[in-house]
Amino acid sequence: MAAAGVTPLLPGLLAGTAHAATSLRTGRPEFPLVRGGFATDVFVDAADDPAVLRAAGDLQADIERVGGVRPRLLDTVPEQAAQLVVVGAIGASPVIDGLIAKGRLNVSRVKGSWEASVTQVVERPLPGVDRALVIAGSDRRGTIYGIYDTSERIGVSPWYWWADVPVEHRDDVTVPAGPFTRHEPSVRYRGIFINDEQNLTTWSHRTQEPDKNIGPETYKRVFELLLRLKANYLWPAMHPYSDFFNKHRENPELAEHYGIVVGSSHPEALLRNGVHEWDPWAAEHRNTDGGLPVYDYTVNPAVISDYWRARARQNATYESSWTLGMRGLHDTALETRYATTIPEKVVVMNDIIADQRRILAEEVGQDAEPQIFIPYKEVLDLYNAGVQVPVDVTLIWPDDNHGNMRQLPNDEERRRAGGNGIYYHLSYWGRPKSYLWLDTTQPAKVWQELRRVYEHGADRMWIFNVGDVKSIENGLSFAMDVAWDVNRWHADDAGDAGDAEGVGGVEGFLVEWAGRQFGHRHGHEIAAIRTEYYRLAAELRPEFIAKGLLSVVHHGDEAGRRTTAYEQLLERARTLGAKLPEAYRDAYFELIEYPVHGAYLMNLKYYWADRNALALRQGRGAGTNRFADLAEAAHTTEAALTKRYNTEVAGGKWDGIVNPYPSQIPKAPGRPAVSRVARQETSGLGVASEGNETGTARPLSFFSGTRDRRFLDVFNTGFLAASWSAEVSHPWVLLSESGGSLTEQTRVWVEIDWDRAPEGAYEATVTVSGADAGQRVDVPLSVRNDGERARRWRRGFVEAHGYVSIDAAHTDRRVARGGARWRTVRGLGRRSGAVEAVPSTAAPVTADFAARAPELRYRVRFSSTGTFPVTVFRLPSLDERGHRRVALCLDDQPVTVLSGQSVATGNRGDAWARNVEDGVERLTATVTVTEPGEHELRLFMVDPAIAVDQIVIDTGGLPVSYLAPPESYHPMFNPGR
């Protein structure tokens, strides 16, 4: 294991420890948990909470996992002990309270807090005990988190079971003497929603509980994982293919035993699962005419009220969260036969909430908290129209299902006693497209939205939709880390020196997290792999790919460049994986290699399918069928890779957990359709150059700044071998190959020898000829050489190829104004980072921009003049109570305000749908260049929290493509080769 660089975790390396936790190096000897083949006993007072007793058993097992020796778990203090681990909650453990009363344990920063703890070594704490490692929590969960902190420090990952992360064996197991203090979390309730859980249900039924579809044995594993991640809250599985949570009464009992708060999602009022429970209830409570009552409060209020009351009474003794309000059965819209207008429906919703509050007061009493109200979809419209939610109820604000918060609390809502929370998707099933298969949301995107949420006072409850739990390991870990300490990670603003918002950028989390799973020496490389994986997903989620979406002819083969990037990333992942010890291979496959490889294959098969479709249009022969074969081979490989995950990894432990195509998933990509042509005993020469679907009409464009290479495809129109040759008009035009014999096709790369090419603008030609007379195709080239001196000394971005393309983070200057500024968020967007206007609570600027609005400036050198379209690629954040605007101008010309989509409609094919599918919104304006030379493009904040990724100016003939064109030449940011 030492070869992998695996080392025990120190307190400063724990997720969520900076700010939320402190550790003091005292120089005192570390405390031994295992030494010389003997384990230190663990004491928990029998009077303590059962959840603490159970978690202490996990510490007992973790010590054995690391040291190979199982300590005794005691409920009485031994008469004599050299060392002892003492665990307990303040106010529940007489031993802990005694240490505090004697001044032996300092809990001044913990006592009375929510879920806080202190861990420290106390000398001679008790009669007969020489030295003790004391883990004391402010409450039961604070104590539990202190226990799991110790487990992490000795090298047990929270993902040891759920992702098969191995535990390094050590003969001597020690922890620092401390003290180590874990302060209150940033967010009080932090949890997950197991949703769209078809794969988890399949796996659970096959491997955990053959007689159930997610039951107590599965939930035990879920509860433990949540606690190890410092979470405390669960919305359980709720779909038809899963058993509803309260079907098995062990489930709520176990949740209480573990210390997990159980709530329910937006369509599941008062812990009732409408998918499974309403129909049997209705059958037992028929109408007087024998008919079945419908789930409509305007029709059957008494029956529905009794339905809710029964569950409130049944679960009254458990620590629960109570969802108020109402929607239709199985996540459908609210049904109100006798309330058809919005005002009428508002009255009905107010009556529903009053009824539910009365039920909770009568059946549960003062312990009926937290109570939450979730204005999801049509309920948000009713809330905004006047639904009266009691001030002690927590408002849970939903995102748009794609990671963009729709609406955040205003000043009045922030003052509510019940506070505010969020419901946020890391996984989603529904319109316009679903993403359930892989963890594909950039951590920087999650961080950006969560920071915005927190700054707006939504800090009472954060619930994350994690689908099947598996495949979301990294994203879930990060979300819980931010929920515990929202200030730990920051933007890592490379363009803003002295930024002290936290102790590390978002990529720092990836480094730390990967190091904790696979060894610290590999943390940076794995983080780099994950960062590029997320960047490619930000361009286009693998679940969103479709035929014809990416260009295979423009910008160096846009789709091909992505495929190559994935291929290189996979090679990088495999190279690192080969360096790990065998014990780490399963975890590495699950967490790193499978996501990269699976995403690559999904892209690859659609790439070959698009090449197949293009080949058919170009009249290719054998090559058309070759591309069809490649597309189907990629699909077959993808299926085999998933089968390996389900049947071979970890000895088949995860049978059924992964499926890129669960049934009924809307708009899921699958096996792309391909076409084949009948074999003909002919041959013929065809040529298509970059920028042209067919033929060579659009010249290949070259510029000395970016030193591009371009391609031309030489192909056979038949199936018999054909000879070809290529000649260049100038010796400084270079070809990757100049002739041969081909049956299918070959791609020829064209470059310029800039050391030999004369300065100025030139036209050149590549002539491709076949063996038969008359088979000759001229490929035109447009070459511009500004010379080496200009290349080195020019400032700013340089127009070429008919466009200027700018990564928004690559600014010449930034100007902060009015208490607001632009910052770079690294790892956000389609490139290395995007710029965001902060703080998110800043006031909009709608006039006098040059004096009042924070500004970004870009130097641009134009060779053309005219009025040109400008596209600003912004990340599609929302504000349904406001606007999403940015402004721009060239030099000192009038400013143009660009307005983005601020409302999530939920409809396929509209502007919002396009934005979330693409991950960007394209805002357009024009600028006028009156004379060539250097100019300044200026971008102003109008609304805060708007993020800009790229800016493209079309100076003539920019082809339509899915992605922005490659960044233009810039001597600092894109100096070429």
Side-chain angles (χ1 to χ4, degrees):
M1 293 299 176
V6 180
T7 59
L9 295 172
L10 299 178
L13 295 176
L14 280 173
T17 58
H19 299 291
T22 56
S23 178
L24 178 64
R25 292 274 187 190
T26 63
R28 297 161 62 194
E30 294 193 333
F31 187 88
L33 296 175
V34 176
R35 179 168 289 168
F38 294 95
T40 300
D41 292 337
V42 178
F43 162 78
V44 186
D45 198 293
D48 216 321
D49 191 283
V52 173
L53 295 171
R54 191 215 60 80
D58 281 350
L59 178 61
Q60 180 187 30
D62 288 343
I63 292 171
E64 183 180 22
R65 287 185 179 100
V66 179
V69 183
R70 191 175 187 87
R72 294 187 300 168
L73 187 60
L74 308 177
D75 58 9
T76 57
V77 177
E79 294 183 1
Q80 194 72 32
Q83 289 95 23
L84 183 67
V85 177
V86 177
V87 175
I90 298 170
S93 170
V95 170
I96 294 295
D97 291 346
L99 290 173
I100 296 170
K102 295 175 183 177
R104 308 301 309 283
L105 185 65
N106 183 359
V107 296
S108 60
R109 303 183 68 185
V110 170
K111 188 175 181 180
S113 298
W114 176 266
E115 298 180 347
S117 66
V118 61
T119 301
Q120 73 176 71
V121 171
V122 178
E123 306 294 339
R124 295 178 298 280
L126 299 164
V129 178
D130 297 336
R131 199 166 184 240
L133 177 71
V134 180
I135 303 172
S138 61
D139 48 34
R140 64 174 182 166
R141 278 191 295 271
T143 311
I144 291 167
Y145 298 148
I147 289 170
Y148 287 130
D149 282 341
T150 302
S151 292
E152 284 194 78
R153 284 200 294 278
I154 64 175
V156 180
S157 167
W159 296 99
Y160 81 95
W161 193 87
W162 276 96
D164 302 298
V165 175
V167 177
E168 176 197 8
H169 173 80
R170 286 180 286 128
D171 293 333
D172 289 342
V173 183
T174 62
V175 293
F180 173 82
T181 304
R182 177 174 285 278
H183 306 310
E184 280 194 341
S186 298
V187 179
R188 174 161 291 218
Y189 294 101
R190 310 162 306 281
I192 66 171
F193 182 18
I194 297 176
N195 190 222
D196 311 312
E197 65 279 3
Q198 184 175 351
N199 294 343
L200 186 70
T201 303
T202 301
W203 165 80
S204 174
H205 182 77
R206 288 180 182 176
T207 68
Q208 302 300 300
E209 301 158 284
D211 60 332
K212 299 179 180 68
N213 294 309
I214 305 183
E217 294 305 311
T218 303
Y219 279 117
K220 283 180 186 178
R221 296 292 188 182
V222 171
F223 297 154
E224 182 189 338
L225 174 66
L226 290 177
L227 293 173
R228 287 182 182 269
L229 292 173
K230 314 303 183 290
N232 59 14
Y233 187 81
L234 173 71
W235 288 354
M238 52 83 71
H239 277 290
Y241 30 75
S242 304
D243 292 341
F244 65 97
F245 187 75
N246 283 280
K247 175 180 180 180
H248 309 295
R249 290 309 298 168
E250 305 100 304
N251 286 339
E253 293 167 4
L254 280 169
E256 183 68 23
H257 185 61
Y258 275 74
I260 295 295
V261 181
V262 176
S264 54
S265 63
H266 44 89
E268 301 178 283
L270 269 59
L271 300 179
R272 274 296 195 179
N273 180 291
V275 175
H276 291 278
E277 295 189 273
W278 172 253
D279 285 346
W281 180 271
E284 294 173 1
H285 299 78
R286 292 179 178 271
N287 298 328
T288 54
D289 62 0
L292 293 173
V294 295
Y295 194 64
D296 182 334
Y297 197 80
T298 67
V299 177
N300 298 292
V303 176
I304 294 171
S305 182
D306 290 344
Y307 170 70
W308 290 332
R309 183 180 294 275
R311 176 53 42 75
R313 181 181 299 135
Q314 189 179 39
N315 285 31
T317 60
Y318 305 133
E319 188 178 10
S320 302
S321 169
W322 304 93
T323 298
L324 306 182
M326 188 175 183
R327 295 192 73 227
L329 295 174
H330 199 182
D331 202 7
T332 57
L334 176 69
E335 293 185 30
T336 52
R337 182 187 303 173
Y338 300 118
T340 58
T341 68
I342 292 293
E344 289 172 343
K345 292 180 181 181
V346 167
V347 171
V348 173
M349 187 63 74
N350 286 335
D351 290 344
I352 288 170
I353 293 173
D355 187 12
Q356 293 167 337
R357 296 266 288 180
R358 184 168 51 253
I359 290 169
L360 292 175
E362 294 170 357
E363 299 296 340
V364 185
Q366 294 182 345
D367 292 333
E369 61 177 26
Q371 297 176 27
I372 66 175
F373 179 78
I374 311 164
Y376 186 79
K377 292 191 176 180
E378 80 286 345
V379 179
L380 178 61
D381 297 331
L382 299 184
Y383 172 79
N384 288 334
V387 168
Q388 298 299 306
V389 181
V391 295
D392 61 327
V393 173
T394 304
L395 295 176
I396 304 296
W397 302 97
D399 70 349
D400 66 342
N401 306 317
H402 290 260
N404 307 294
M405 294 306 301
R406 299 177 58 160
Q407 182 171 306
L408 293 174
N410 57 28
D411 290 340
E412 181 181 351
E413 290 159 344
R414 284 196 286 270
R415 291 192 291 268
R416 296 170 54 84
N420 296 267
I422 63 166
Y423 167 42
Y424 192 88
H425 287 76
L426 299 173
S427 173
Y428 174 65
W429 185 103
R431 294 181 179 181
K433 287 185 178 179
S434 306
Y435 53 102
L436 302 173
W437 176 35
L438 302 173
D439 173 17
T440 53
T441 302
Q442 286 180 306
K445 169 68 174 178
V446 176
W447 176 87
Q448 178 203 19
E449 288 293 307
L450 296 185
R451 280 293 310 181
R452 179 180 167 217
V453 160
Y454 192 79
E455 289 169 358
H456 281 78
D459 60 1
R460 188 63 57 89
M461 181 180 291
W462 287 3
I463 306 109
F464 297 94
N465 189 317
V466 297
D468 293 301
V469 181
K470 283 294 284 181
S471 90
I472 210 73
E473 299 95 340
N474 195 293
L476 173 56
S477 294
F478 181 68
M480 288 303 146
D481 204 60
V482 176
W484 187 278
D485 184 0
V486 75
N487 291 316
R488 183 164 192 220
W489 309 108
H490 63 75
D492 193 20
D493 193 338
D496 207 352
D499 187 353
E501 294 177 4
V503 299
V506 172
E507 191 169 351
F509 167 81
L510 296 175
V511 172
E512 180 184 292
W513 189 84
R516 296 199 336 257
Q517 318 309 320
F518 302 106
H520 299 307
R521 72 169 60 179
H522 301 303
H524 284 279
E525 175 64 2
I526 292 175
I529 291 169
R530 289 292 294 186
T531 298
E532 174 67 358
Y533 161 80
Y534 283 122
R535 186 195 69 79
L536 290 166
E539 289 184 341
L540 177 63
R541 292 189 197 263
E543 299 93 337
F544 289 2
I545 197 163
K547 284 191 68 174
L549 194 58
L550 293 157
S551 174
V552 294
V553 299
H554 296 306
H555 304 311
D557 185 351
E558 177 180 78
R561 286 191 294 110
R562 265 178 60 83
T563 303
T564 298
Y566 267 120
E567 186 177 13
Q568 292 171 346
L569 188 65
L570 177 59
E571 181 58 30
R572 192 172 178 181
R574 283 173 163 170
T575 298
L576 190 150
K579 298 177 182 178
L580 296 176
E582 184 63 32
Y584 283 80
R585 298 295 171 82
D586 286 342
Y588 190 80
F589 180 83
E590 295 169 42
L591 297 175
I592 309 299
E593 187 174 335
Y594 178 82
V596 172
H597 200 175
Y600 164 58
L601 291 170
M602 187 70 80
N603 279 267
L604 183 65
K605 67 183 179 182
Y606 276 87
Y607 173 62
W608 291 130
D610 284 343
R611 292 287 303 272
N612 168 256
L614 178 63
L616 197 65
R617 294 194 295 273
Q618 292 174 337
R620 302 192 192 194
T624 302
N625 296 349
R626 175 64 173 163
F627 289 138
D629 293 341
L630 289 169
E632 295 195 338
H635 183 83
T636 300
T637 303
E638 179 202 288
L641 186 75
T642 298
K643 182 179 180 180
R644 176 186 168 192
Y645 198 135
N646 286 325
T647 63
E648 298 177 22
V649 168
K653 174 181 176 180
W654 300 111
D655 188 9
I657 199 67
V658 175
N659 179 7
Y661 318 108
S663 63
Q664 300 178 338
I665 181 171
K667 302 290 183 179
R671 184 195 296 264
V674 293
S675 301
R676 288 180 168 80
V677 295
R679 179 180 177 85
Q680 295 180 343
E681 301 302 313
T682 60
S683 65
L685 180 69
V687 178
S689 59
E690 179 179 335
N692 300 277
E693 283 225 340
T694 59
T696 63
R698 187 185 185 101
L700 300 180
S701 178
F702 297 87
F703 172 52
S704 57
T706 46
R707 303 200 167 191
D708 318 275
R709 68 171 190 165
R710 305 294 184 191
F711 70 84
L712 59 91
D713 286 340
V714 182
F715 55 86
N716 193 335
T717 60
F719 286 77
L720 300 179
S723 298
W724 68 280
S725 63
E727 296 179 348
V728 298
S729 61
H730 296 77
W732 36 263
V733 177
L734 308 177
L735 304 179
S736 60
E737 55 182 307
S738 58
S741 176
L742 58 82
T743 303
E744 297 171 351
Q745 56 242 329
T746 188
R747 175 157 285 182
V748 180
W749 289 100
V750 184
E751 296 183 84
I752 304 300
D753 184 344
W754 296 107
D755 292 333
R756 299 172 62 192
E759 291 189 19
Y762 296 90
E763 294 181 355
T765 305
V766 175
T767 301
V768 181
S769 303
D772 298 338
Q775 287 189 314
R776 173 191 171 99
V777 178
D778 289 333
V779 181
L781 281 59
S782 176
V783 182
R784 176 179 144 200
N785 185 3
D786 285 356
E788 188 62 22
R789 185 173 183 278
R791 182 171 178 267
R792 290 183 177 181
W793 293 103
R794 274 184 178 161
R795 302 180 303 171
F797 294 93
V798 180
E799 176 199 354
H801 314 308
Y803 65 82
V804 179
S805 181
I806 301 169
D807 288 1
H810 292 165
T811 56
D812 177 66
R813 185 182 173 194
R814 305 182 188 197
V815 182
R817 294 190 181 104
R821 65 185 178 94
W822 291 92
R823 70 176 171 200
T824 297
V825 182
R826 296 185 62 80
L828 178 64
R830 293 174 162 190
R831 304 293 294 169
S832 61
V835 286
E836 178 191 22
V838 293
S840 66
T841 53
V845 179
T846 57
D848 198 13
F849 298 103
R852 297 175 53 209
E855 179 181 352
L856 302 172
R857 295 181 181 177
Y858 306 89
R859 282 197 180 101
V860 180
R861 176 169 287 275
F862 289 96
S863 55
S864 305
T865 60
T867 298
F868 303 130
V870 180
T871 301
V872 175
F873 292 73
R874 76 137 188 138
L875 303 183
S877 59
L878 300 170
D879 185 353
E880 299 198 354
R881 284 172 165 162
H883 305 276
R884 310 306 293 145
R885 297 167 297 186
V886 68
L888 64 79
C889 72
L890 190 69
D891 301 324
D892 294 321
Q893 296 176 11
V895 174
T896 300
V897 175
L898 289 71
S899 294
Q901 182 83 8
S902 61
V903 176
T905 60
N907 300 319
R908 289 195 182 106
D910 65 7
W912 168 83
R914 291 193 301 273
N915 295 346
V916 296
E917 288 177 21
D918 295 350
V920 293
E921 181 177 22
R922 298 165 179 84
L923 306 179
T924 58
T926 60
V927 294
T928 299
V929 180
T930 57
E931 56 184 52
E934 188 174 295
H935 295 263
E936 194 169 51
L937 183 68
R938 307 170 68 186
L939 197 71
F940 300 95
M941 181 199 91
V942 178
D943 295 305
I946 193 166
V948 177
D949 192 24
Q950 293 167 289
I951 306 166
V952 177
I953 306 170
D954 181 359
T955 60
L958 178 68
V960 175
S961 59
Y962 176 80
L963 300 174
E967 189 172 32
S968 297
Y969 171 76
H970 189 288
M972 178 186 298
F973 299 120
N974 186 30
R977 289 172 289 158

